[in-house]
């Protein structure tokens, strides 16, 4: 990624990206939700989210939506990340460190395989 | 919490929960008066006097997922441990303004931490909220307003890789410019 400085750079990048997108085939969409209640934030959810966004940036993944939600009542499992790939059911991961987040991005979001060892039981 | 920037993230989450469409975050460091001030102002639904009076009590929360609310009480305790205070003004329909002040040089004052990361997270995760950051140390200032960026992008999602790179770098550079100005005093006072 080139260094960007201003809205002019953004405009240029946008046009480049739009041109590229015309050529690219559509990939399956994924939605990732990071829980950001006080419990999640204290447990490190911001850095987990940053790791997820970093992978999207580095791997140039399009069609991934990242959102947040508040405390979902499983504070002891924070940071919690939920992943929905295409039409598949929602998968809830617990104690998601930045390291685990990168693994989930690689194996589940990009590879389509649920990382069963990080699932929240129940 | 180990960083003030994590408190900022936590308090801003309250603003989103309160239905705010605009949130302005101000972090102001004054080396001459030795104060550090954090202000989070929103246009959310606000609080009535009763809730406002109880909101710094950890056993009060508007959430239903658990019985304690720790965000505001934790920040208040952190400020008071550093010769500072926390104030909240709010009224139904009028939004909420929270201000926390610290003695900047206090030994117990936690570091500001990754303010760029906090803003980055908020802007990306809540694209429907208008986010404004004002970060200032003495005379050096950085203002980030996400509206011109969103206007330029129109319907392109903020999670597009090139957009992520743009916003991340923009925030990091703006914030470190202010911090570098402090490190070289001759720049800070021009």
């Amino acid at each position: 990624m080139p260094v960007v400085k201003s809205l002019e750079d953004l405009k240029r990048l946008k046009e480049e990206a739009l041109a590229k997108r015309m050529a690219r085939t559509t990939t399956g969409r994924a939605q990732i939700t990071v829980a950001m209640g006080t419990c999640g934030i204290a447990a490190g959810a911001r850095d987990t989210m940053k790791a997820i966004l970093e992978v999207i940036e580095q791997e140039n993944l399009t069609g991934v939506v990242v959102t947040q939600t508040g405390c979902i009542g499983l504070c002891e499992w924070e940071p919690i990340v939920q992943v929905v790939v295409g039409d598949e059911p929602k998968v809830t991961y617990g104690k998601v460190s930045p390291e685990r987040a990168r693994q989930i991005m690689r194996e589940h979001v990009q590879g389509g395989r649920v990382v069963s060892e990080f699932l929240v039981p129940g | 919490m180990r960083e003030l920037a994590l408190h900022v993230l936590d308090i801003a989450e309250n603003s989103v929960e309160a239905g705010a469409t605009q949130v302005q975050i101000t972090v102001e460091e004054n080396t001459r008066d030795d104060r550090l001030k954090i202000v989070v102002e929103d246009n959310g639904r606000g609080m009535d006097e009763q809730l406002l009076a109880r909101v710094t009590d950890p056993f009060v929360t508007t959430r239903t997922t658990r019985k304690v609310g720790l965000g505001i009480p934790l920040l208040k305790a952190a400020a008071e441990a550093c010769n500072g205070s926390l104030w909240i003004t709010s009224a139904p329909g009028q939004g909420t303004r929270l201000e926390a002040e610290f003695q900047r040089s206090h030994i117990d004052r936690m570091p500001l931490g990754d303010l760029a990361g906090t803003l980055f997270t908020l802007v990306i995760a809540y694209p429907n909220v208008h986010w404004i950051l004002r970060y200032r140390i003495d005379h050096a200032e950085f203002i980030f307003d996400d509206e011109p960026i969103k206007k330029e992008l129109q319907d392109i999602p903020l999670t597009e890789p090139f957009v992520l790179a743009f916003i991340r770098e923009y925030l990091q550079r703006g914030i470190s410019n202010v911090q570098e100005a402090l490190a070289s005093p001759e720049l800070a006072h021009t």
Side-chain angles (χ1 to χ4, degrees):
Chain A
M1 286 283 162
V3 177
V4 281
K5 292 181 191 72
S6 63
L7 275 183
E8 274 60 51
D9 288 332
L10 183 64
K11 201 175 281 187
R12 181 177 50 75
L13 286 169
K14 184 182 89 176
E15 272 145 25
E16 281 173 21
L18 282 177
K20 266 189 230 155
R21 186 186 289 180
M22 299 301 165
R24 196 185 295 146
T25 53
T26 352
T27 50
R29 293 185 68 82
Q31 182 169 349
I32 301 170
T33 308
V34 183
M36 286 272 184
T38 305
C39 46
I41 293 170
R46 185 192 62 193
D47 294 338
T48 297
M49 168 120 179
K50 274 182 74 185
I52 290 167
L53 297 176
E54 236 171 66
V55 173
I56 295 174
E57 197 185 311
Q58 285 162 359
E59 304 284 316
N60 205 19
L61 306 178
T62 56
V64 182
V65 178
V66 183
T67 54
Q68 288 184 20
T69 184
C71 168
I72 56 176
L74 294 165
C75 309
E76 68 274 29
W77 286 94
E78 294 286 355
I80 289 170
V81 174
Q82 296 178 319
V83 177
V84 180
V85 176
D87 300 326
E88 286 165 32
K90 179 164 74 186
V91 174
T92 302
Y93 292 108
K95 299 188 191 287
V96 184
S97 59
E99 188 57 36
R100 285 184 171 194
R102 282 187 279 269
Q103 192 177 334
I104 291 165
M105 289 301 287
R106 207 166 48 234
E107 292 186 24
H108 189 174
V109 177
Q110 291 183 266
R113 294 178 303 275
V114 173
V115 191
S116 45
E117 58 200 292
F118 304 155
L119 292 180
V120 171
Chain B
M1 303 278 172
R2 284 188 290 265
E3 296 176 6
L4 291 177
L6 289 177
H7 280 290
V8 171
L9 177 57
D10 187 39
I11 299 300
E13 294 281 334
N14 292 346
S15 296
V16 176
E17 294 275 311
T21 56
Q22 183 179 315
V23 183
Q24 181 161 348
I25 295 167
T26 305
V27 177
E28 222 173 66
E29 301 186 43
N30 185 323
T31 59
R32 213 177 60 182
D33 299 343
D34 195 22
R35 306 304 281 177
L36 187 155
K37 191 164 85 175
I38 295 170
V39 184
V40 179
E41 276 176 285
D42 70 50
N43 65 351
R45 74 178 74 90
M47 294 179 278
D48 59 27
E49 261 176 69
Q50 261 186 322
L51 180 59
L52 187 58
R54 294 159 64 228
V55 84
T56 53
D57 176 349
F59 297 105
V60 169
T61 177
T62 55
R63 89 179 75 245
T64 51
T65 47
R66 56 179 148 86
K67 291 194 179 101
V68 293
L70 289 172
I72 296 170
L74 276 174
L75 180 55
K76 184 171 191 266
E80 287 173 353
C82 300
N83 233 341
S85 312
L86 180 139
W87 301 269
I88 308 175
T89 47
S90 185
Q94 309 267 298
T96 299
R97 181 181 193 276
L98 178 144
E99 179 176 337
E101 207 187 84
F102 297 74
Q103 181 191 331
R104 188 170 176 273
S105 67
H106 199 285
I107 185 101
D108 290 327
R109 204 263 294 168
M110 64 187 93
L112 179 60
D114 186 5
L115 186 60
T118 283
L119 257 290
F120 185 47
T121 298
L122 290 168
V123 169
I124 303 303
Y126 301 112
N128 297 328
V129 178
H130 176 193
W131 294 99
I132 303 160
L133 169 72
R134 192 166 154 267
Y135 177 46
R136 191 182 174 94
I137 305 180
D138 297 336
H139 296 285
E141 188 175 52
F142 168 60
I143 295 174
F144 173 82
D145 182 334
D146 71 355
E147 204 159 70
I149 295 171
K150 288 175 183 164
K151 215 168 147 191
E152 178 57 45
L153 290 169
Q154 289 163 7
D155 53 352
I156 298 174
L158 297 178
T159 40
E160 281 295 295
F162 78 94
V163 181
L164 289 178
F166 177 82
I167 297 175
R168 187 178 52 73
E169 285 170 15
Y170 196 93
L171 283 166
Q172 279 172 351
R173 207 191 43 255
I175 288 167
S176 62
N177 277 351
V178 171
Q179 289 165 343
E180 279 159 22
L182 177 71
S184 51
E186 70 278 10
L187 283 176
H189 294 283
T190 49

